Amino acid sequence: MPEIQEKCVILQYHVKSLSKRFYIFYTFFLPLILTLSISFSHIKSSNLHDMATVNIRLRITGASKNEGTIFFQIIHRSVVRRITTGYRILTREWRGGAIVVPKSGPRVETVEAIRRETDADKDRLCRIVGRYASRRVDYTADDIVSEYRRYMRDYTLFTYMSKQIMMLKEYGKNGTSEHYAATLRSFSSFRSGEDIMIDRIDRDLIKAYEAWMTMRGLRPNTLSFYLRTLRSVYRLAVNEVAIPDAEPFKQVFTGREQTLKRALSLDKLKKLKKMRLMANPQLAYSRDMFLLSFYLRGMSFMDMALLKRENLMDGYLTYRRRKTNQLIRIKWQPEMQRIVDRYPRPLDTYLLPIFINPGDDNRNGFHRIAAGINRSLKKLGELLGVENPLTMYAARHSWATVARLNNVSLSVISESMGHQSESTTRIYLSTLDTTAVDYANSLVIRSIR
């Protein structure tokens, strides 16, 4: 019996102890947990459900009360803000809080256009509200208005492209910036100087732009160049501010069409080299620049112009190709030196006789010189009986063609113009032994001696 009594006492002690713990839990910890849970739920609910609302409203104006001005009403946490639009409609064109397009009459197109624009503006405001809500940050109605005005200012196509052009120049990407600038000029001409919000670019607009360029005689590859550049800018903006991608470029040509052969034949190259042009210094100079580019394995004229004397050391010319930033090393051949020796010493520390006169070594000066050379090359091409206009770029094609005629490995010349992407060419060239390339260049130069 004493043992049973002792166990009962122990059991009673544990029950009292447990009851005390439950009492503490229910009276202190449980209310605290419930309070925290309710607070968290309130915060979560306030972020997800306490979103701002955007409505289109009409403010009646005029003594006759027959017309009004459209405005947007933003309400958030009992704070109301307005954004006026400047769009005016008749009161009979407003019903049930929405714009009603007349079925007929002279105002059909006008009211329809107003409805499209206000719908687009409301979508922009709703996207802004959605972005704020998704970030789970506190915001006000004034924040929405401020962000909307910034968006409308910064994300028109002309403004956005101009900003990108400036940034590219600051980063030293002058080639890409010039591509953007050329595309902006083209599209601005198509739009007669009228800017457009980036989120209003659709397939119909881009197809109309393609047709406009076609009517002006632009070739498919030129069309594709402008469309690809415009697509790049569009995608930048889409990724930057989460604009819905309307895929406006899906039905236009953005590929590359195989171009006509630009290379000069070996026979034509020999004739060009042997032409007596002493009576026409401009033709002679243009011919020499073409041959110099050819000797330098088809180096671009821009790369040639920017070479400095420091690039030539110990019988080798070393430089980085502007287009790809690839490091290239070329053995300096006697034919190259003979051309350089024919002309006055260039400005400052430049290596080749391209920037000779003060003021030449800037963007305008370079384009003026390049245009003059290409005009002269066109005349030389006609004298040679070349079917397509001869330009400096043909020197690169010609080098690849003559290299193949000399049985130079495809891995050395990488088919030059045959690859669909230049990344393949870079992969090939980056693994080459310089000696093999120098030997190949010697064979090419020797072919037209």
Side-chain angles (χ1 to χ4, degrees):
M1 290 294 291
E3 292 179 359
I4 295 174
Q5 288 178 351
E6 184 179 350
K7 289 182 179 179
C8 287
V9 170
I10 293 171
L11 181 62
Q12 287 175 355
Y13 172 78
H14 282 299
V15 168
K16 287 180 179 179
S17 177
L18 188 62
S19 298
K20 187 177 181 180
R21 290 174 184 175
F22 271 114
Y23 174 77
I24 294 171
F25 175 78
Y26 278 110
T27 58
F28 180 73
F29 286 109
L30 185 60
L32 179 62
I33 292 170
L34 289 174
T35 301
L36 291 172
S37 177
I38 291 168
S39 299
F40 176 76
S41 298
H42 174 72
I43 293 169
K44 185 176 180 182
S45 175
S46 67
N47 278 327
L48 294 179
H49 303 293
D50 187 22
M51 292 175 61
T53 58
V54 179
N55 301 302
I56 302 176
R57 294 286 184 258
L58 180 69
R59 184 171 67 88
I60 306 300
T61 56
S64 63
K65 305 295 183 182
N66 289 329
E67 63 178 4
T69 302
I70 299 291
F71 69 93
F72 291 101
Q73 182 187 66
I74 295 95
I75 306 174
H76 187 49
R77 295 177 182 174
S78 303
V79 176
V80 181
R81 292 291 181 266
R82 289 184 177 186
I83 299 176
T84 57
T85 67
Y87 298 128
R88 300 175 67 83
I89 60 172
L90 302 177
T91 52
R92 66 172 181 268
E93 296 162 349
W94 179 262
R95 189 180 310 131
I99 298 171
V100 179
V101 181
K103 294 182 179 179
S104 60
R107 287 186 53 80
V108 172
E109 290 185 6
T110 300
V111 178
E112 177 60 38
I114 291 173
R115 185 173 69 175
R116 283 197 305 269
E117 291 303 318
T118 52
D119 285 347
D121 283 337
K122 184 177 180 181
D123 286 344
R124 292 172 188 128
L125 283 163
C126 289
R127 285 202 303 271
I128 291 169
V129 171
R131 285 201 298 274
Y132 274 122
S134 66
R135 294 173 192 161
R136 297 183 181 277
V137 296
D138 194 23
Y139 64 96
T140 66
D142 289 320
D143 290 332
I144 296 169
V145 174
S146 177
E147 178 62 16
Y148 171 79
R149 287 174 175 160
R150 185 192 73 83
Y151 178 87
M152 296 298 289
R153 180 188 70 241
D154 293 349
Y155 289 94
T156 68
L157 181 63
F158 296 176
T159 300
Y160 187 74
M161 283 193 78
S162 297
K163 179 183 175 183
Q164 295 302 316
I165 291 166
M166 289 178 63
M167 288 174 60
L168 287 166
K169 287 180 178 179
E170 289 176 3
Y171 296 152
K173 297 183 177 180
N174 296 321
T176 306
S177 71
E178 289 177 2
H179 293 170
Y180 276 34
T183 303
L184 177 57
R185 287 193 297 271
S186 172
F187 195 77
S188 177
S189 180
F190 160 69
R191 292 276 301 170
S192 300
E194 183 181 353
D195 206 347
I196 184 172
M197 296 300 299
I198 295 174
D199 59 19
R200 297 291 282 163
I201 296 174
D202 57 19
R203 294 183 185 181
D204 288 340
L205 178 68
I206 297 303
K207 285 194 289 186
Y209 177 44
E210 182 185 45
W212 178 83
M213 290 190 289
T214 302
M215 289 177 63
R216 277 153 182 76
L218 274 67
R219 295 180 179 180
N221 281 348
T222 306
L223 268 68
S224 178
F225 164 78
Y226 286 129
L227 291 169
R228 287 197 314 273
T229 306
L230 195 61
R231 182 180 61 186
S232 296
V233 175
Y234 177 82
R235 286 177 174 173
L236 279 174
V238 165
N239 294 330
E240 193 171 296
V241 288
I243 297 171
D245 189 354
E247 297 185 334
F249 299 88
K250 200 166 186 177
Q251 297 176 349
V252 294
F253 176 69
T254 55
R256 288 179 174 85
E257 188 178 72
Q258 195 70 28
T259 56
L260 295 173
K261 187 175 180 181
R262 297 179 178 179
L264 288 182
S265 66
L266 185 56
D267 181 57
K268 291 287 195 298
L269 278 167
K270 289 179 178 179
K271 288 182 178 178
L272 178 64
K273 183 182 178 182
K274 294 176 180 178
M275 275 185 170
R276 296 184 178 277
L277 301 171
M278 291 180 292
N280 194 324
Q282 178 59 32
L283 289 182
Y285 174 76
S286 300
R287 184 267 312 275
D288 286 346
M289 291 301 102
F290 181 92
L291 289 175
L292 190 54
S293 172
F294 176 82
Y295 295 151
L296 292 168
R297 305 206 311 253
M299 185 188 295
S300 76
F301 189 58
M302 174 65 82
D303 286 336
M304 288 170 58
L306 295 177
L307 288 174
K308 297 294 184 75
R309 291 171 201 153
E310 63 196 43
N311 293 118
L312 181 59
M313 294 183 66
D314 300 324
Y316 278 87
L317 182 66
T318 306
Y319 76 103
R320 286 195 177 274
R321 192 175 177 215
R322 281 173 58 85
K323 188 173 182 180
T324 61
N325 201 37
Q326 180 189 357
L327 186 64
I328 297 177
R329 192 165 182 257
I330 303 173
K331 187 175 182 180
W332 191 252
Q333 302 281 357
E335 285 81 358
M336 304 171 188
Q337 189 62 48
R338 279 196 286 270
I339 290 177
V340 172
D341 291 342
R342 286 178 197 152
Y343 297 96
R345 191 180 182 90
L347 293 172
D348 299 327
T349 59
Y350 292 109
L351 176 66
L352 304 181
I354 296 173
F355 296 144
I356 297 174
N357 301 310
D360 283 349
D361 58 338
N362 56 47
R363 183 175 180 272
N364 291 334
F366 170 79
H367 286 298
R368 184 184 69 252
I369 295 168
I373 288 174
N374 281 326
R375 281 194 300 270
S376 296
L377 288 175
K378 184 178 180 181
K379 294 177 182 177
L380 290 171
E382 292 169 355
L383 293 173
L384 289 168
V386 177
E387 183 178 351
N388 300 309
L390 184 62
T391 65
M392 281 295 293
Y393 193 61
R396 184 170 178 80
H397 293 256
S398 302
W399 188 91
T401 300
V402 176
R404 290 200 65 183
L405 289 173
N406 282 276
N407 298 316
V408 176
S409 168
L410 288 179
S411 62
V412 175
I413 59 171
S414 190
E415 285 274 20
S416 194
M417 293 293 102
H419 285 300
Q420 294 300 313
S421 70
E422 193 161 332
S423 60
T424 306
T425 304
R426 290 199 302 271
I427 292 170
Y428 274 102
L429 293 177
S430 64
T431 59
L432 286 176
D433 187 323
T434 306
T435 305
V437 179
D438 292 334
Y439 176 69
N441 200 32
S442 298
L443 288 176
V444 171
I445 295 173
R446 197 181 305 140
S447 297
I448 65 170
R449 283 178 178 168

